[in-house]
Amino acid sequence: MASGATGCTSISYYAQSFEGHVEIMAARKNVAKLIRDPSTPAPLRAKLTSASAIRRFATEELALPDNNSYRSYVDVGRDDVTLAVFAAPQYSLTPITWCFPVFGCVPYKGYFSRKDALENAATLQRQGLDVYVTGITAYSTLGWFSDPLLSTMLRQNDTYLASLVFHELAHQKLYVNGDSAFNEAFAVTVETTGTRKWLRATGNRAGLRSYEVDRKRKADFLGLISKTRDELKQVYGSPRSPAQMAAAKAATIDTLRMRYRKMRDKHWAGYRGYDAWFDSPINNAKLAATAVYGEEVPAFLHLFDLCARDYPRFYAAVRRIGNLPAPSRAEALKAAATCD
């Protein structure tokens, strides 16, 4: 029935999505009980205790949904909970989209099965598309289910965990069907401002300084990507032969890598946290996937300031803009001069 409704996704895809999600939901364990259980390993108990405090902060201080999400835990037994497959034409930065019930149209397909994800990626490549496959640490069911904490979410420090919880709960607070750039930029804004507020509230000055350095690097990285995307748009819009187009595309991506190395060595004091991203293949799908999470964030942060950093007012303003027709939504966000 779902396949017929969307007309663009196979029954087998929905089957693996359903089976993977049900498997996770069935494995949930109550966080409070795990904390009290003397057999729970001490490192896990400490992480879950932090997660419980973060979860309370999300509701009490960020006005995020007060429900059963992130009050249970699942060890997924692997490095990523899902894999996301992105695709784009060989000479275009506009990603391919797929449409689903509830979530609308999005520029990726998520897979619980690595085998299925790689098979789909290979099929898309055979069609002549640029393809990018990346691991996903957490996902949101938009409040339809009580999303659990996942072992993949606990791999790094508490700042990382807080960021994930705030981001995913933001998707439950507000979601506009078919506008991934809007949804992700909104969630990143809640994540960023919320994490800063949480670090200040917990008195973690060292953590806040480290977080701000990380955010600055992220902004620098996204600036490099934006510049390269602009250059590639000029390449793809020019009258060139296929061979000339391919050469210009490769040269532009080589320039991106060169700029990154220069920035890393001169401005980041040799910090290599983004080396893996640049050392692996770069194509239109990868650039498009990166842009989804970053391009509209400055406009959301500006709106947050206009709303006096008051979360309920900010959510109301975002909801009003989100209710606008798609063509005018981004422009209204950029042009916002008041919260109301």
Side-chain angles (χ1 to χ4, degrees):
M1 288 175 64
S3 179
T6 61
C8 58
T9 307
S10 69
I11 292 176
S12 62
Y13 174 79
Y14 286 110
Q16 69 84 30
S17 296
F18 178 77
E19 290 170 5
H21 180 66
V22 167
E23 181 180 348
I24 287 177
M25 292 295 105
R28 288 176 296 178
K29 296 180 180 179
N30 182 270
V31 166
K33 290 182 179 179
L34 284 171
I35 292 173
R36 292 194 301 268
D37 189 341
S39 67
T40 300
L44 177 59
R45 180 183 294 108
K47 278 289 186 183
L48 294 178
T49 300
S50 294
S52 294
I54 289 166
R55 183 65 185 83
R56 286 194 300 273
F57 188 89
T59 296
E60 295 172 1
E61 301 297 330
L62 308 184
L64 289 169
D66 186 7
N67 55 29
N68 286 325
S69 288
Y70 308 114
R71 302 187 195 279
S72 61
Y73 170 74
V74 175
D75 186 342
V76 300
R78 53 185 184 268
D79 291 337
D80 304 296
V81 61
T82 61
L83 291 178
V85 178
F86 294 83
Q90 191 175 6
Y91 299 122
S92 171
L93 290 162
T94 302
I96 304 299
T97 58
W98 291 272
C99 300
F100 307 97
V102 180
F103 293 92
C105 298
V106 294
Y108 55 83
K109 291 179 75 175
Y111 288 87
F112 287 94
S113 164
R114 175 172 292 272
K115 175 176 176 291
D116 289 347
L118 297 180
E119 286 179 353
N120 178 245
T123 297
L124 293 168
Q125 286 174 327
R126 286 193 295 269
Q127 296 171 7
L129 297 170
D130 281 3
V131 177
Y132 172 54
V133 181
T134 185
I136 302 298
T137 302
Y139 69 95
S140 173
T141 60
L142 308 183
W144 286 79
F145 298 91
S146 297
D147 298 326
L149 292 164
L150 304 172
S151 52
T152 51
M153 300 170 67
L154 307 184
R155 290 182 304 187
Q156 299 186 38
N157 60 24
D158 288 351
T159 301
Y160 177 77
L161 174 59
S163 296
L164 285 177
V165 170
F166 300 157
H167 184 107
E168 300 305 334
L169 283 173
H171 284 313
Q172 292 190 19
K173 186 71 177 182
L174 191 147
Y175 185 87
V176 178
N177 275 12
D179 196 337
S180 292
F182 188 91
N183 293 326
E184 294 302 338
F186 165 69
V188 168
T189 299
V190 175
E191 164 198 330
T192 303
T193 59
T195 301
R196 286 173 174 146
K197 185 171 184 176
W198 174 73
L199 287 167
R200 292 188 185 102
T202 55
N204 189 350
R205 294 183 180 180
L208 181 59
R209 286 194 297 271
S210 178
Y211 183 71
E212 294 297 359
V213 171
D214 286 342
R215 294 307 305 173
K216 178 60 170 62
R217 292 195 194 107
K218 183 72 170 181
D220 291 342
F221 166 70
L222 292 174
L224 285 183
I225 301 305
S226 179
K227 184 177 180 65
T228 298
R229 282 169 53 84
D230 289 343
E231 292 169 348
L232 284 173
K233 286 176 183 177
Q234 292 182 7
V235 169
Y236 299 152
S238 63
R240 303 173 192 242
S241 69
Q244 290 172 328
M245 190 79 74
K249 175 183 179 181
T252 303
I253 291 173
D254 285 343
T255 298
L256 169 62
R257 287 194 169 97
M258 179 195 69
R259 288 171 178 154
Y260 165 68
R261 291 191 295 269
K262 181 178 180 180
M263 182 174 69
R264 177 195 67 192
D265 298 339
K266 292 189 175 182
H267 299 290
W268 290 1
Y271 174 78
R272 294 182 172 271
Y274 286 81
D275 276 10
W277 194 95
F278 284 94
D279 289 343
S280 59
I282 299 174
N283 59 27
N284 293 333
K286 190 171 184 176
L287 294 170
T290 304
V292 164
Y293 286 82
E295 288 196 340
E296 294 188 12
V297 171
F300 275 101
L301 287 171
H302 178 62
L303 180 62
F304 184 66
D305 287 338
L306 290 174
C307 294
R309 302 190 177 189
D310 180 282
Y311 284 94
R313 287 186 66 201
F314 173 62
Y315 298 149
V318 173
R319 192 173 301 279
R320 283 193 297 272
I321 295 173
N323 287 334
L324 295 174
S328 56
R329 194 176 298 140
E331 283 303 315
L333 179 63
K334 291 178 183 178
T338 66
C339 179
D340 303 318

